[in-house]
Amino acid sequence: MGKPYVIGIDIGGTNTLFGIVDARGNILYDGSIKTWDYPDIESYVFALAEGLAGLIQQTGGEGLVRGIGVGAPMGNFLSGCIENAVNLPWKGVIPLAQLIRESTYNIPVAVTNDANAAAIGEMAYGAARGMKDFIVITLGTGVGSGIVIGGNLVYGHNGFAGELGHVIMRRENGRMCGCGRPGCLEAYTSATGVARSARELLSSRADDSLLRDMDIENITSKDVYEAAMKGDRLSLEIFESTGEILGEAFADFIVFSTPEAIILCGGLAKAGDLLLNPIQRSLDKHGLSMFAGKTKLLLSQLEESNAAILGASALGWEAKG
Amino acid sequence: MGKPYVIGIDIGGTNTLFGIVDARGNILYDGSIKTWDYPDIESYVFALAEGLAGLIQQTGGEGLVRGIGVGAPMGNFLSGCIENAVNLPWKGVIPLAQLIRESTYNIPVAVTNDANAAAIGEMAYGAARGMKDFIVITLGTGVGSGIVIGGNLVYGHNGFAGELGHVIMRRENGRMCGCGRPGCLEAYTSATGVARSARELLSSRADDSLLRDMDIENITSKDVYEAAMKGDRLSLEIFESTGEILGEAFADFIVFSTPEAIILCGGLAKAGDLLLNPIQRSLDKHGLSMFAGKTKLLLSQLEESNAAILGASALGWEAKG
């Protein structure tokens, strides 16, 4: 018998990545398909299963694969379904775990959302190794979260708990969020929110900024980061105010579950200290004194190119027959 | 052999209540001492042990007592200590579990805070029977909380998680809270906060109210409740705005852990629908749509006179040797 493996599948709004991963977190083989090339779920699962079959044969056959883990927007661990995901081609409730299992040698499949998969990945292979209580915050197009308490991911009563991008941070004149409510954390501290802050400041103020040389409508958080690294005052201010709001939110998360660490991942987390330092300052200022210094702020320790597959694959070990 | 029992001890800022409880939640014998009659912890534990010894002998001897559970302000389940409680006579870190055990037949002792004890009590004997995911909110002098996820109480990394009275609800011009920070949930929605709302409205406005017949400095939440029940407009407004803030807070709690129910207890919860209805309206208005209708609002099902002992006693079954 060879060594056991798991499969990780990350379903994104653009690409679907998949890979075969061993127990130490090495990705042995991987592949991808374009999510939007398959407007119906049957053809998507067929293409995915075909891709997986190739990798499985390369690795020594399906007998060695212990489980398949899937990270997907609106993926529900409890039901195994994707439920009403707005950025995927398939509408309504899709019984994804069942469909993949039926087309992939009857291997057990577990599904969760992408931020939860990231948390499981950090616990298995990243910054949360050895921790039982931590929160992963993904700062990308949106703000997602995976909450681990007592070594278990928090799914809540309906399988969708841990939507910390949608705590309300500004109850007066809050920015409208994609969820239809004003003032959500996501509206300010996602990569998109940072770009929006840049556009707002540039149009409401007249001071000099490197960002003024750019097409204002197409500024990204990466542009703001690069300008800040060159000392651009306005861009530094944006990171300061973004960190301020994140620190305020983290103070509330800490009174809830008092994690050992809050771990940042996603595109915006690449800003590193430029973001961590203002968050820590804000947390020192806004946190409840009894929790001062109890929770570490950390960056993801997974390579971004591998994180999605690794996180999903770690869930594969938990997939039940 | 007789049936097994547990002991529940509720340490309050005024009284310490204790009782012997059977597996079905019947309080067989109980007693109390005045917490502040004992300025040093040794004399307090001595008096408590003496009271317990009497009850234990009445019940058939210490051999039948499986454990002792203690609910106390700043009680830490992980350390078994009371840590820096401001409203108790004993300063610093008090190794309470150890002290009680040493003076009470070496019976295993577990300690937690009063709101966590309330949550354990609701799970064992009250509104949360059969639930694995719920939050208890205590609305008394302060606002406390006990969070249960997957059937386990959330203690967090340091044993003090679940201080939901201290999430920040008003970041601009927030009311000062006892914790030293402005805008906490507790500053608005504790019994004390409701009385404060009454004083603020009475002094900032000129409209008629039954409350104007009272000594404004000594108005209590009970006065506001009674006036509201008589149709007093200003008092009804206070319950409306208190419920509004609680609903806003609950919307955030639900994106965190998506409980099956949020259960209200403590003095202010006696207002019943007068408080529940505005909370539900606020939750409908402020909640994230994907969670609409997923979380029930309930009132405690424990008689208030028994709740504290019952909650603490339920923890006694978990006390470890």
Side-chain angles (χ1 to χ4, degrees), chain B residues 146-185:
Chain B
I147 304 166
V148 172
I149 291 181
N152 296 308
L153 215 97
V154 174
Y155 292 112
H157 181 53
N158 69 342
F160 285 122
E163 286 290 340
L164 297 182
H166 298 286
V167 296
I168 304 294
M169 300 309 298
R170 293 293 178 262
R171 295 182 192 277
E172 309 280 335
N173 303 313
R175 268 188 199 172
M176 189 50 68
C177 178
C179 76
R181 303 177 311 157
C184 288
L185 181 63

Side-chain angles (χ1 to χ4, degrees), chain B residues 32-245:
Chain B
S32 70
I33 58 177
K34 296 268 175 209
T35 307
W36 280 87
D37 281 355
Y38 307 93
D40 64 286
I41 187 68
E42 288 75 18
S43 64
Y44 173 82
V45 170
F46 186 84
L48 179 64
E50 207 169 47
L52 292 176
L55 304 192
I56 290 170
Q57 295 323 318
Q58 278 180 283
T59 324
E62 71 272 18
L64 301 177
V65 183
R66 287 290 175 273
I68 298 176
V70 185
M74 299 302 286
N76 186 325
F77 178 78
L78 300 183
S79 68
C81 296
I82 295 178
E83 304 188 10
N84 308 304
V86 292
N87 60 340
L88 296 180
W90 323 296
K91 298 309 158 204
V93 176
I94 306 292
L96 189 73
Q98 185 197 331
L99 291 173
I100 293 178
R101 181 170 186 159
E102 285 170 2
S103 52
T104 313
Y105 310 103
N106 208 31
I107 298 168
V109 180
V111 171
T112 191
N113 74 29
D114 30 2
N116 287 343
I120 295 169
E122 295 294 339
M123 183 156 56
Y125 311 116
R129 265 172 298 188
M131 292 187 192
K132 289 192 161 294
D133 296 281
F134 65 96
I135 298 176
V136 162
I137 302 288
T138 62
L139 301 168
T141 314
V143 172
S145 63
I147 304 166
V148 172
I149 291 181
N152 296 308
L153 215 97
V154 174
Y155 292 112
H157 181 53
N158 69 342
F160 285 122
E163 286 290 340
L164 297 182
H166 298 286
V167 296
I168 304 294
M169 300 309 298
R170 293 293 178 262
R171 295 182 192 277
E172 309 280 335
N173 303 313
R175 268 188 199 172
M176 189 50 68
C177 178
C179 76
R181 303 177 311 157
C184 288
L185 181 63
E186 172 167 305
Y188 296 90
T189 68
S190 59
T192 326
V194 166
R196 192 166 161 187
S197 297
R199 286 195 293 278
E200 281 186 12
L201 279 193
L202 288 168
S203 61
S204 69
R205 291 180 9 182
D207 51 333
D208 243 15
S209 166
L210 294 171
L211 297 175
R212 295 201 186 274
D213 302 336
M214 314 187 116
D215 172 9
I216 186 170
E217 286 312 312
N218 291 318
I219 282 176
T220 65
S221 63
K222 187 155 173 282
D223 298 327
V224 182
Y225 167 72
E226 284 167 2
M229 290 304 279
K230 291 177 189 154
D232 184 64
R233 280 269 294 281
L234 187 139
S235 300
L236 287 166
E237 248 181 73
I238 292 168
F239 273 97
E240 193 67 35
S241 65
T242 304
E244 171 89 10
I245 294 182

Side-chain angles (χ1 to χ4, degrees), chain A residues 156-158 160-164 167-171 179 181 248 252 255-258 286-288 290-291, chain B residues 156-158 160-164 167-171 179 181 248 252 255-258 286-288 290-291:
Chain A
H157 182 55
N158 69 343
F160 285 123
E163 285 289 342
L164 296 182
V167 296
I168 304 294
M169 300 309 299
R170 293 293 178 262
R171 295 183 191 275
C179 75
R181 303 178 311 158
E248 290 173 354
D252 282 351
V255 301
F256 198 106
S257 71
T258 322
H286 296 291
L288 191 60
M290 67 186 276
F291 296 121
Chain B
H157 181 53
N158 69 342
F160 285 122
E163 286 290 340
L164 297 182
V167 296
I168 304 294
M169 300 309 298
R170 293 293 178 262
R171 295 182 192 277
C179 76
R181 303 177 311 157
E248 291 174 352
D252 282 351
V255 301
F256 199 106
S257 70
T258 322
H286 296 290
L288 192 60
M290 66 186 277
F291 297 120

